[in-house]
Amino acid sequence: MRLEAITWERLTDALAERIAATTAQDGSPWLRVAVDGAPAAAPDDLAARLAEALRIRGRAVRPVDTFGFLRPASLRLEYGHQDPDAYHDEWFDRRALWREVFQPLDPGGTGRVLPDLWDAVADRATRSGYVELPPGGVLLLHGPLLFGHWFPFDLAVHLKLSPAALARRTPEGDRWTLPVFARYEQETRPEEAADIVVRADDPRRPAWSGTA
């Protein structure tokens, strides 16, 4: 895959323009956009930049962090606090994401999205209220391991780190997650699943695959 150097500012603007020119594949009045990447790649940062750029362009946006949809500790940590397979398979409540985030944005849906479900620190429900995304609005789901679950993304962005960069940028206490992302690369092939790939080995100098 050929990648070209770009700044984060130009990248954000180009992605916002691509979203503005995109229509939902299933005819939904809402767009569903993925910003996929390991925490070390900071998908939340790009999602925040993109949300601001879309709002400036007059689009309603609802960022949703997958870490707001963690499963309860009794399920998530059943095999210990540092089990890579559990992180890959069990940590995130993907059924809740389908029910509370994607189904309301189906054609004929209500547009009422739950922004988060579970507070992992308190290990209890957040009790957040539903937020209505008006027709023409954009869902920005950001976080790790987003592909391979048949989520109906209209545009998918993957933030890629080389194994060396991932290891270098992952805090010592989280290095047990490195096999998770090696497995994700091997089994799910996020570069092939994504519409746009952003190489973020050097956080100051990203490169991307373009929007074509």
Side-chain angles (χ1 to χ4, degrees):
M1 178 180 294
R2 181 179 177 84
L3 300 178
E4 298 180 357
I6 195 170
T7 65
W8 288 112
E9 291 76 13
R10 287 175 51 218
L11 172 66
T12 301
D13 285 342
L15 289 175
E17 292 299 324
R18 170 67 181 271
I19 291 170
T22 298
T23 56
Q25 298 176 20
D26 60 3
S28 169
W30 302 279
L31 289 179
R32 295 141 299 192
V33 177
V35 182
D36 173 74
D44 52 337
D45 287 351
L46 179 56
R49 288 173 177 266
L50 191 52
E52 180 62 24
L54 289 167
R55 290 181 181 119
I56 289 173
R57 288 165 170 78
R59 299 294 291 269
V61 184
R62 172 48 54 182
V64 173
D65 187 344
T66 54
F67 280 97
F69 284 82
L70 290 173
R71 301 178 78 202
S74 61
L75 301 174
R76 192 173 74 248
L77 307 178
E78 181 179 0
Y79 301 102
H81 287 255
Q82 298 186 351
D83 185 281
D85 288 332
Y87 186 109
H88 186 280
D89 298 332
E90 304 293 340
W91 271 42
F92 298 97
D93 194 340
R94 297 181 178 105
R95 288 186 179 181
L97 282 167
W98 270 106
R99 183 181 67 250
E100 305 292 359
V101 176
F102 286 104
Q103 288 183 0
L105 303 182
D106 283 343
T110 64
R112 296 178 70 247
V113 172
L114 190 66
D116 52 61
L117 178 65
W118 199 258
D119 182 337
V121 175
D123 197 32
R124 61 173 176 79
T126 60
R127 300 177 183 172
S128 295
Y130 287 88
V131 178
E132 186 165 349
L133 188 62
V138 180
L139 166 73
L140 285 178
L141 184 66
H142 58 91
L145 313 175
L146 297 185
F147 303 148
H149 311 293
W150 301 100
F151 290 148
F153 295 121
D154 300 299
L155 185 70
V157 180
H158 174 60
L159 292 172
K160 179 176 177 59
L161 295 176
S162 68
L166 178 62
R168 183 174 64 250
R169 293 174 57 184
T170 298
E172 184 66 31
D174 294 330
R175 290 175 65 84
W176 65 270
T177 65
L178 296 179
V180 176
F181 298 105
R183 176 183 169 188
Y184 185 57
E185 287 284 338
Q186 182 179 15
E187 295 183 3
T188 305
R189 301 184 181 276
E191 285 183 79
E192 297 176 12
D195 300 296
I196 297 166
V197 176
V198 179
R199 188 70 172 263
D201 286 1
D202 183 340
R204 300 165 300 176
R205 298 181 179 87
W208 76 321
S209 59
T211 61

